[in-house]
Amino acid sequence: GGKDGGAGDERKKWVSGTVVSVLEKHAYIRCPMLQGLYENDVYIHRNVLDKAAEANGVEIEKDLELVFPLHISNQGKPQASLPVFLADRQFVGRIARWNEEKGFGFVTVEEIPGQDIYIHKSICDKFGFPAAINMPVSFQLHISKQFCPQATNLAEVIG
């Protein structure tokens, strides 16, 4: 993947992890879902991490949980970009697309521009409401085994 525009670049792979070390110019994130795939923890530029932390009102520290799109550096190492901090937070977005026949759709969220969050009909059913386009919802973010961001613990936002 990356800048070459080759096959497979259309969809970003998202992963979740925990900050394990914070240095002056960079930090490292441990990602259990990547164990066995790469030798190293995931690298992130410190300025990228700091900018995201400031935008989210979060202090950078060890054990901070986050999700991010993964890309591979020119040296073949895993690297994070555009981190989103979890900290048990509820995100608020709107259902942008919904396919009733297939039973899924996508939510858009301001804090995660350019990335739709997958939502399955069973999540709506579990929490007792039908999905509709433009419906405001709150949810927690989860990364699937297929490296896709998904909505969980969904609730309709009233008012």
Side-chain angles (χ1 to χ4, degrees):
K3 299 174 187 162
D4 62 3
D9 282 2
E10 299 79 37
R11 198 182 81 177
K12 297 176 197 161
K13 287 187 176 180
W14 281 71
V15 294
S16 58
T18 305
V19 174
V20 291
S21 67
V22 181
L23 305 168
E24 186 179 338
K25 296 195 183 248
H26 58 274
Y28 289 97
I29 305 163
R30 181 142 310 137
C31 304
M33 58 194 317
L34 296 178
Q35 280 182 332
L37 297 176
Y38 301 101
E39 291 177 28
N40 309 73
D41 288 326
V42 177
Y43 173 93
I44 186 167
H45 289 283
R46 182 64 195 264
N47 63 344
V48 171
L49 191 60
D50 289 344
K51 184 177 177 184
E54 185 179 321
N56 286 272
V58 174
E59 290 289 321
I60 299 298
E61 58 188 5
K62 199 173 169 203
D63 298 328
L64 190 62
E65 291 183 53
L66 42 84
V67 298
F68 53 89
L70 179 73
H71 66 272
I72 306 306
S73 72
N74 292 336
Q75 295 79 31
K77 296 185 178 180
Q79 190 167 336
S81 60
L82 304 172
V84 176
F85 300 96
L86 294 180
D88 297 320
R89 79 188 252 217
Q90 286 287 118
F91 291 86
V92 176
R94 289 192 176 274
I95 296 177
R97 296 190 312 280
W98 187 257
N99 185 323
E100 186 63 39
E101 187 178 304
K102 293 185 178 180
F104 70 88
F106 295 91
V107 177
T108 57
V109 182
E110 279 186 32
E111 296 100 326
I112 312 172
Q115 178 63 51
D116 292 338
I117 310 302
Y118 177 84
I119 179 174
H120 192 269
K121 182 181 185 305
S122 63
I123 298 294
C124 295
D125 292 347
K126 180 178 176 182
F127 293 97
F129 62 90
I133 290 180
N134 284 324
M135 174 187 285
V137 293
S138 70
F139 61 92
Q140 287 182 312
L141 193 59
H142 167 76
I143 304 300
S144 73
K145 290 178 185 166
Q146 293 78 33
F147 303 103
C148 296
Q150 292 183 313
T152 62
N153 296 328
L154 193 73
E156 184 177 358
V157 174
I158 308 293

